[in-house]
Amino acid sequence: MRLKSLKRWLILGHRWLGIATGLFLAAWVLSGLVMLYVAFPALTEAERLSHLAPIAWDRVRLGPAEVMDRAGLEPVPGGLSLSMRGEAPVYQVSTRDGARHAVSAETGQVLGPVDAAAALAPFGPGATVRAVTRDQWTVRDRYDPLRPFHVVTLGDAAGTELYVSARTGAVVLDTSRRERLWNWLGAIPHWFYPTPLRARAELWRGVLLWVSGVAVAGVLGGLVLGIWRLRLRRPYASGAVTPYRGLGRWHHLLGTFGGLSLLTFVASGWLSMNPNHWFTPRTPPAAMREAYAGPLVRIDRAALDGFPHAGIVEVRFTQVDGRSVLVAADAGGRRVATPSPPEETLRAAAARALPEARIAGTETLTAYDAYWYPHHDTRPLPVLRVRFDDAAATWLHIDPETGALLDRLDASGRLQRWLFEAPHRLDFGNLFQARPAWDVVMWLLNGLGAGIALSGVVMGWRRLRHAARAR
């Protein structure tokens, strides 16, 4: 009797949880296929530098220290750079309160907002401009210090639109017609990214956790039920291995043999939202970055004469263990660090960043491995990995050329890599590098998931329609 009652509740639970989440499951699976090839719009480092003009060195009259004194600002570590705004050199400053400021390199005066005419000026007569505070592509809170924006439409064949921050005058995002179109079928439904919801970060996170959690329960119940009702050795009286007919037969068989893949996909997606904050974020916290940088170093104007000026579009001022490092870049993305910090300095800075632990070992990666690899992003090589003996078994990844602290990865982050990234995106090094084998596997598994979800949606619709007619 208990077994019969359990089976009945499994059937009812799977049916109604499937009706509640079937469309979401179908949307997740199908939009995931789009995301394999079209990422959400973002400005890469190479694209950002390509939009900068060479620095007019003859107009850079003040060094960083004097400018910060006159403006009364104190940048966070790595939050100070020199570039052009229009025809004038400016220091771009990020401060502890999260604000962004543009300060004249000639006078030390904090500059006001950029107007539409100034934002449009560098892009020629065919371009047009409109004002935006928040839209679908700038919905994330990372853009808050840069709002509002002047959106410059270039009028080119690709339908390019550039987002120029009215606060800093810098291009902070570019999108193309192709990206905008495909993301309505990709990241937006996959991540629940409609602007009104995503603009409320905690509400968005809660909705996604609950919906995906309910979907996990529905898929898990269906997988258990599918295995329970499958008869391979002792077929049903009809000779079939399933008691269902028509679409129900396909749903049962697809769900039984593809249900584990779908369950893994949905459960790993749920874990990507970091429920209950189980996993430590990879971004180092502000306190760790400040400790890594060390005591504030004053940089005068003479320090800017220490490297070749030709073609330089940006100079970023950083610190490593209390020593200044100037990283100059040209429009092609080539960088020169002055001086390039030795490994001893990087180890000392890493030790400062985690003073309660000892360094257990270091290694320089010249090839990607299971924990340092690119997907839709880029990650530099070589990279220095510093391992600590603390309770969290923390690793720090450092750019040996510039000394930049790239990320923090502890035991919980490495676990998330195997619970989310590996099963959700099949980020297994050998497979991901062996394309198109990776694409074939992804299409096969997503196809199974789509078949399960869509057949369930049709069956759920039929059930609701039948119930409505009966009433």
Side-chain angles (χ1 to χ4, degrees):
M1 182 62 72
R2 289 183 178 179
L3 195 62
K4 186 176 181 180
S5 177
L6 176 60
K7 182 182 291 186
R8 178 175 179 274
W9 281 109
L10 264 178
I11 293 172
L12 289 174
H14 176 63
R15 175 185 300 160
W16 292 106
L17 290 178
I19 288 173
T21 62
L23 283 174
F24 293 117
L25 283 170
W28 280 330
V29 171
L30 295 173
S31 61
L33 287 173
V34 176
M35 293 179 66
L36 299 182
Y37 308 103
V38 184
F40 196 74
L43 189 72
T44 66
E45 182 68 3
E47 291 170 338
R48 186 183 70 82
L49 292 172
S50 72
H51 292 300
L52 298 177
I55 295 173
W57 292 102
D58 58 322
R59 298 184 62 177
V60 181
R61 297 189 172 89
L62 303 176
E66 188 174 4
V67 164
M68 294 304 101
D69 288 343
R70 293 190 183 189
L73 299 174
E74 182 178 345
V76 296
L80 177 64
S81 64
L82 173 66
S83 59
M84 296 295 288
R85 174 169 144 170
E87 298 181 355
V90 298
Y91 288 95
Q92 300 282 0
V93 188
S94 299
T95 51
R96 294 176 186 274
D97 59 359
R100 297 286 296 273
H101 308 273
V103 186
S104 170
E106 298 178 277
T107 66
Q109 178 183 2
V110 177
L111 303 176
V114 173
D115 61 21
L120 186 60
F123 302 107
T128 59
V129 66
R130 70 181 190 275
V132 163
T133 298
R134 183 191 301 270
D135 67 1
Q136 186 62 63
W137 317 115
T138 58
V139 68
R140 294 181 59 182
D141 52 9
R142 60 175 291 188
Y143 292 105
D144 288 350
L146 302 165
R147 305 183 197 280
F149 305 103
H150 300 294
V151 182
V152 178
T153 302
L154 298 185
D156 58 351
T160 305
E161 293 186 349
L162 304 178
Y163 287 68
V164 179
S165 169
R167 292 189 60 87
T168 68
V171 175
V172 298
L173 176 65
D174 65 353
T175 71
S176 68
R177 185 183 299 109
R178 174 178 176 271
E179 287 177 324
R180 295 189 296 272
L181 171 63
W182 282 107
N183 267 277
W184 284 105
L185 302 175
I188 293 172
H190 197 83
W191 292 340
F192 281 25
Y193 248 43
T195 304
L197 177 61
R198 184 59 183 88
R200 296 162 176 81
E202 286 305 311
L203 174 63
W204 166 77
R205 183 174 181 273
V207 168
L208 205 50
L209 276 170
W210 275 103
V211 173
S212 57
V214 170
V216 169
V219 175
L220 178 60
L223 181 60
V224 172
L225 188 62
I227 295 172
W228 195 345
R229 305 216 70 184
L230 188 72
R231 292 185 181 179
L232 296 177
R233 294 184 177 179
R234 293 181 300 157
Y236 289 89
S238 64
V241 297
T242 171
Y244 305 105
R245 292 180 296 175
L247 188 62
R249 177 193 299 269
W250 284 106
H251 185 71
H252 182 202
L253 295 176
L254 287 173
T256 302
F257 295 104
L260 182 60
S261 171
L262 183 60
L263 176 64
T264 301
F265 174 77
V266 181
S268 59
W270 178 72
L271 287 171
S272 73
M273 298 303 298
N274 198 5
N276 206 33
H277 301 285
W278 289 331
F279 310 111
T280 304
R282 294 189 71 145
T283 302
M288 178 176 286
R289 290 189 177 277
E290 291 183 3
Y292 179 86
L296 183 64
V297 177
R298 291 178 61 83
I299 305 172
D300 58 24
R301 175 61 180 82
L304 297 176
D305 298 325
F307 51 83
H309 288 172
I312 298 300
V313 299
E314 180 184 70
V315 179
R316 186 163 294 278
F317 304 91
T318 63
Q319 285 190 200
V320 181
D321 193 34
R323 305 181 186 187
S324 65
V325 178
L326 279 61
V327 182
D330 65 15
R334 291 175 289 275
R335 301 180 301 175
V336 177
T338 307
S340 187
E343 185 172 328
E344 295 77 13
T345 299
L346 301 180
R347 286 174 57 94
R352 295 176 63 98
L354 212 65
E356 69 275 12
R358 293 183 304 173
I359 294 178
T362 61
E363 55 186 320
T364 299
L365 303 182
T366 57
Y368 295 118
D369 69 1
Y371 298 102
W372 185 260
Y373 62 93
H375 188 77
H376 273 310
D377 54 1
T378 58
R379 287 182 176 173
L381 284 176
V383 68
L384 179 67
R385 176 178 290 160
V386 183
R387 294 179 283 107
F388 291 86
D389 67 355
D390 60 319
T394 302
W395 295 354
L396 297 182
H397 289 111
I398 299 170
D399 186 334
E401 180 186 359
T402 66
L405 179 58
L406 301 174
D407 83 352
R408 166 190 61 174
L409 186 63
D410 65 9
S412 71
R414 294 191 289 276
L415 178 62
Q416 187 186 34
R417 184 260 183 275
W418 297 111
L419 293 180
F420 162 57
E421 294 173 3
H424 198 78
R425 308 188 303 191
L426 294 189
D427 274 343
F428 301 101
N430 293 336
L431 178 60
F432 185 66
Q433 298 302 321
R435 303 187 71 171
W438 177 81
D439 301 74
V440 171
V441 174
M442 290 295 286
W443 275 87
L444 176 62
L445 295 181
N446 277 267
L448 279 172
I452 297 168
L454 291 173
S455 60
V457 168
V458 174
M459 292 170 62
W461 169 250
R462 290 175 178 174
R463 169 67 62 172
L464 292 175
R465 189 174 60 179
H466 176 73
R469 288 176 177 175
R471 285 195 300 269

